[in-house]
Amino acid sequence: MGAYEFGSITGLESHVHSSTFEVRNYPNPVSGICFIEFDLNTPTFVSLQIFRMTGELVYDLHNKNLPAGINQIAWNTDDIAEGIYFSKVRIGNEVVTKKIIKAK
């Protein structure tokens, strides 16, 4: 993984808000299962990673092709500390990064 800057957060690209697709993380704040959902127009390779605010990769949740339509990936947050995390979804050449707040 290369080092990128996102404000003061290392590891996340700065151009993440220029995407043509939407990613929804819910519930947020989360205290158990977090659902990360997005809609694909065509079958596409998707990667999903979770980072700490420091840019440290916490989980590499998904790296494979997904079918067209609404896709949902579940992330169990029970084994991580409270705090702020970021989901980074890469679909094709586009990236969307969303903040996830882990609560008690």
Side-chain angles (χ1 to χ4, degrees), residues 19-99:
S19 175
T20 59
F21 67 94
E22 181 183 347
V23 174
R24 295 165 296 282
N25 296 331
Y26 60 90
N28 199 7
V30 61
S31 63
I33 303 294
C34 179
F35 297 98
I36 301 160
E37 185 178 274
F38 44 88
D39 193 7
L40 298 176
N41 293 330
T42 61
T44 307
F45 183 84
V46 175
S47 72
L48 169 58
Q49 298 172 313
I50 305 294
F51 292 87
R52 295 186 197 284
M53 284 198 54
T54 61
E56 175 190 0
L57 178 64
V58 178
Y59 291 100
D60 196 358
L61 290 179
H62 191 84
N63 286 293
K64 64 181 179 180
N65 286 315
L66 288 175
I70 296 173
N71 288 271
Q72 185 182 77
I73 299 169
W75 172 41
N76 186 342
T77 67
D78 287 342
D79 62 342
I80 64 168
E82 294 175 39
I84 297 174
Y85 296 84
F86 292 90
S87 66
K88 177 180 165 185
V89 179
R90 181 180 302 274
I91 299 174
N93 293 325
E94 297 187 70
V95 177
V96 170
T97 302
K98 295 281 191 161
K99 181 167 56 170

